[in-house]
């Protein structure tokens, strides 16, 4: 009786969606790595046979999670998190490199990527901390601690040179927004990202003039006084004129960008002084935003040239149209788009993909597994896969919303955010809308680490939902 009631509490919709996606992923791996000398899908010497082993282990793991007391995950959330941090630190010393990133632990008969499990551990720790009754949504101290929980694994993963895994953690910002973080924070981060992109596309002078223009527009909406706006504009023009005259008198040949820095810097002080005199907090924020924007503008070149690897630089340049090398760093994406486009409406049929069969697409069973779906099943097949993922995400949000405990709800939204980010970025990579950063497609891409990590993420939520009912 108890066993039957427990089975009735399982959200079978989530389970069936999981099994369908895993099965489709396995068939896609078989198609992408098909070897005529080893035609059996159960051949364990091939990737498709090995993936079956990972799937079998994942099913056992999922079943085991359903028998664990839900209080275990709450009680040991911080311990699991700290343990994963230690493992991530350990990888820096004894890890093995793969595709330029030292992010794997080699146990001889198999390799594991701890950064994949770090997302699960961070989701638990974040849900535990933000789910406390003492958590204050308007407390800067609490939000700083949330940033620390997210930032520690990100820092360790960046030290491993694994940019793709690190940027996945940015998706926890969506969870923070759901739990009360101000929307202005997200807009600010989007603004910083826009500055980074514009700095790569346009001359610095145009970026600086654009920032000054935005400052004038924002200043007008804050003050609603045309005379005040005119005074600020005249102040900027006068500052520029003084800087230009001084450079001429001293015989210094300053570029227009350097000359424009003077009114920008003086505008910051103008806003800060006015905010102090008039006790206007919004002007202080506007001045701070302008100062931070200038710092971001100055740091773009350093980050791009010294922090990002050469292959990341080239892929970003290729995406933005700054450079084009379809036979070099743009080869993967170019071949992926050819494969997807060649599928047409209905596709070429199972095991009939020529781009896939002749290995034109590198990493076609891992990061670029979606191009196999596009070539063999066409627009209809890819649409079905996307709909299945969106249905899964919708179901996860429904499950998260009906949780009674904040810990369970926040964890559920973390699961939805992680899966959404992986799906969006991976699909965008394969069709050339995002730089290639090595992010697997959940339940589809070959590999045990990602499959097990996604399985743990999903079925811990299923377990929470069982006890909630």
């Amino acid at each position: 009786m108890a066993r039957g009631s427990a089975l009735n509490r399982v959200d079978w919709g989530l389970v069936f969606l999981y099994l369908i996606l895993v099965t489709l992923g396995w068939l896609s791996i078989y198609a992408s790595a098909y070897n005529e000398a080893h035609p059996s899908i159960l051949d364990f010497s091939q990737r498709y046979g090995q993936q079956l082993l990972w799937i079998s282990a994942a099913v056992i793991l999922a079943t085991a999670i359903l028998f664990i007391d839900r209080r275990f995950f709450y009680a040991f959330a911080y311990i699991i998190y700290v343990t994963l941090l230690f493992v991530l630190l350990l990888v820096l010393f004894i890890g093995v490199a793969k595709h330029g990133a030292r992010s794997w632990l080699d146990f001889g008969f198999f390799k594991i990527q701890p950064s994949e499990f770090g997302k699960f551990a961070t989701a638990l720790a974040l849900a535990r901390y933000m789910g406390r009754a003492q958590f204050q949504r308007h407390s800067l101290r609490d939000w700083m601690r949330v940033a620390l929980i997210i930032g520690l694994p990100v820092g360790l993963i960046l030290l491993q040179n694994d940019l793709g895994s690190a940027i996945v953690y940015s998706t926890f910002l969506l969870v923070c927004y759901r739990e009360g973080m101000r929307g202005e924070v997200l807009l600010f981060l989007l603004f910083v990202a826009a500055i980074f992109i514009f700095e790569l596309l346009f001359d610095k002078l145009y970026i600086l003039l654009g920032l000054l223009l935005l400052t004038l527009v924002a200043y007008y909406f804050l003050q609603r006084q045309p005379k005040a706006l005119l005074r600020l504009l005249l102040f900027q023009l006068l500052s520029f004129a003084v800087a230009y005259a001084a450079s001429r008198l001293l015989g210094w040949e300053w570029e227009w960008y350097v000359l424009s820095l003077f009114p920008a810097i003086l505008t910051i002080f103008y806003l800060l002084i006015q905010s102090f005199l008039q006790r206007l907090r919004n002007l202080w924020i506007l001045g701070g935003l302008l100062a931070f924007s200038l710092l971001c503008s100055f740091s773009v070149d350093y980050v791009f040239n010294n922090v990002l690897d050469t292959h990341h630089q080239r892929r970003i340049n290729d995406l933005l149209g700054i450079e084009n090398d379809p036979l070099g760093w743009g080869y993967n994406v170019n071949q992926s788009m050819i494969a997807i486009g060649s599928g047409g409406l209905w596709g070429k049929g199972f095991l009939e993909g020529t781009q896939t069969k002749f290995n034109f697409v590198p990493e076609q069973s891992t990061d670029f597994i979606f191009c196999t779906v596009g070539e063999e099943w066409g627009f209809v097949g890819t649409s079905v896969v996307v709909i299945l993922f969106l249905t899964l995400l919708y179901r996860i949000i429904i499950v998260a919303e009906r949780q009674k405990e904040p810990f369970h709800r926040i964890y559920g939204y973390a699961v939805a955010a992680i899966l959404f980010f992986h799906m969006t970025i991976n699909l965008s990579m394969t069709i050339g809308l995002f730089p290639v950063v090595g992010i697997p497609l959940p339940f589809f891409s070959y590999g045990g680490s990602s499959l097990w990590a996604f399985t743990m993420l999903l079925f811990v939520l299923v377990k929470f939902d069982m006890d909630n009912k």
Side-chain angles (χ1 to χ4, degrees):
M1 182 70 179
R3 181 180 300 176
S5 61
L7 291 176
N8 291 333
R9 295 198 304 270
V10 174
D11 192 307
W12 289 108
L14 279 178
V15 175
F16 286 140
L17 284 169
Y18 167 80
L19 293 174
I20 290 172
L21 288 170
V22 168
T23 302
L24 291 176
W26 182 37
L27 293 175
S28 298
I29 293 171
Y30 177 61
S32 65
Y34 179 72
N35 187 342
E36 293 183 353
H38 302 270
S40 174
I41 197 172
L42 302 178
D43 191 332
F44 298 111
S45 66
Q46 302 299 306
R47 283 195 164 188
Y48 31 89
Q50 295 167 8
Q51 186 69 9
L52 180 60
L53 296 178
W54 306 140
I55 292 173
S56 301
V59 172
I60 295 173
L61 177 63
T63 305
I65 288 173
L66 298 183
F67 286 94
I68 298 176
D69 192 312
R70 65 178 174 83
R71 291 171 293 186
F72 168 85
F73 298 104
Y74 181 85
F76 287 89
Y78 291 146
I79 296 177
I80 294 172
Y81 174 76
V82 173
T83 302
L84 259 296
L85 288 181
F86 174 76
V87 175
L88 289 173
L89 181 63
L90 193 65
V91 170
L92 296 175
F93 299 97
I94 65 172
V96 296
K98 185 177 180 181
H99 302 305
R102 184 183 292 274
S103 58
W104 296 80
L105 290 177
D106 192 348
F107 293 96
F109 55 95
F110 75 98
K111 296 178 182 178
I112 195 166
Q113 189 176 13
S115 58
E116 292 291 343
F117 299 93
K119 288 170 281 191
F120 167 70
T122 304
L124 283 178
L126 197 63
R128 169 82 187 259
Y129 184 77
M130 296 180 67
R132 301 180 312 145
Q134 299 85 355
F135 182 78
Q136 300 293 325
R137 296 182 178 183
H138 303 291
S139 170
L140 179 61
R141 178 182 298 179
D142 281 342
W143 286 116
M144 291 298 292
R145 290 174 178 172
V146 167
L148 185 64
I149 291 173
I150 300 172
L152 285 176
V154 171
L156 292 173
I157 293 171
L158 286 175
L159 291 175
Q160 298 172 9
N161 199 30
D162 189 358
L163 178 64
S165 296
I167 64 174
V168 173
Y169 287 75
S170 64
T171 193
F172 287 116
L173 291 172
L174 298 176
V175 183
C176 295
Y177 176 71
R178 168 61 180 83
E179 295 303 316
M181 185 183 73
R182 296 181 62 177
E184 291 86 342
V185 177
L186 286 179
L187 292 176
F188 173 72
L189 295 174
L190 290 174
F191 179 69
V192 172
I195 291 178
F196 183 88
I197 295 174
F198 290 150
E199 278 286 339
L200 297 177
L201 289 173
F202 304 107
D203 188 88
K204 288 183 178 296
L205 175 62
Y206 301 135
I207 303 298
L208 183 55
L209 294 177
L211 288 174
L212 289 174
L213 178 60
L214 287 174
T215 301
L216 289 172
V217 173
Y219 183 80
Y220 174 75
F221 280 104
L222 291 175
Q223 293 289 82
R224 296 289 183 178
Q225 297 178 8
K227 291 184 178 180
L229 176 64
L230 183 60
R231 283 196 297 267
L232 178 57
L233 179 59
L234 291 176
F235 177 78
Q236 291 178 345
L237 294 175
L238 180 62
S239 303
F240 179 83
V242 170
Y244 179 79
S247 67
R248 288 295 183 180
L249 290 174
L250 296 174
W252 294 339
E253 295 183 359
W254 286 342
E255 296 181 0
W256 290 107
Y257 172 73
V258 178
L259 291 172
S260 301
L261 280 175
F262 283 90
I265 295 173
L266 291 176
T267 298
I268 295 172
F269 287 103
Y270 182 94
L271 294 172
L272 295 179
I273 293 172
Q274 189 177 4
S275 69
F276 176 76
L277 294 176
Q278 299 182 9
R279 300 181 183 276
L280 296 175
R281 181 171 175 268
N282 288 333
L283 292 184
W284 181 87
I285 295 175
L286 180 59
L289 282 175
L290 179 57
F292 187 82
S293 299
L294 291 178
L295 290 175
C296 289
S297 178
F298 279 116
S299 63
V300 167
D301 287 340
Y302 177 81
V303 172
F304 188 78
N305 295 316
N306 297 282
V307 177
L308 296 180
D309 287 335
T310 302
H311 63 279
H312 288 138
Q313 297 172 10
R314 290 174 172 174
R315 286 167 178 169
I316 292 174
N317 284 336
D318 184 73
L319 177 67
L320 297 177
I322 300 173
E323 299 180 39
N324 185 27
D325 185 10
L327 299 179
W329 57 82
Y331 179 80
N332 290 24
V333 175
N334 189 51
Q335 293 299 320
S336 174
M337 291 191 292
I338 291 175
I340 294 174
S342 66
L345 180 63
W346 297 103
K348 299 176 181 177
F350 188 55
L351 300 182
E352 297 298 327
T354 53
Q355 295 290 118
T356 299
K357 184 177 295 184
F358 296 110
N359 297 317
F360 282 106
V361 184
E363 305 299 330
Q364 59 186 6
S365 61
T366 53
D367 298 341
F368 286 89
I369 188 67
F370 190 70
C371 71
T372 301
V373 179
E375 183 179 21
E376 297 195 345
W377 301 110
F379 177 78
V380 173
T382 55
S383 298
V384 170
V385 171
V386 171
I387 290 172
L388 287 172
F389 271 113
L390 293 178
T391 305
L392 176 68
L393 292 173
Y394 176 71
R395 190 66 188 173
I396 289 173
I397 292 174
I398 290 177
V399 171
E401 277 295 329
R402 71 186 180 203
Q403 300 306 303
K404 299 176 182 177
E405 298 184 23
F407 172 69
H408 297 166
R409 183 190 69 247
I410 296 169
Y411 177 81
Y413 270 94
V415 175
I418 292 170
L419 291 176
F420 170 77
F421 191 89
H422 267 271
M423 180 197 75
T424 304
I425 299 302
N426 182 275
L427 299 188
S428 299
M429 285 187 339
T430 59
I431 59 177
L433 295 180
F434 196 86
V436 179
V437 289
I439 292 181
L441 183 62
F443 313 121
F444 265 72
S445 295
Y446 169 79
S449 295
S450 62
L451 177 62
W452 294 347
F454 290 130
T455 300
M456 292 170 64
L457 275 167
L458 183 63
F459 277 86
V460 168
L461 178 61
V462 173
K463 174 61 180 177
F464 290 162
D465 189 53
M466 284 176 60
D467 291 350
N468 179 60
K469 293 178 181 177

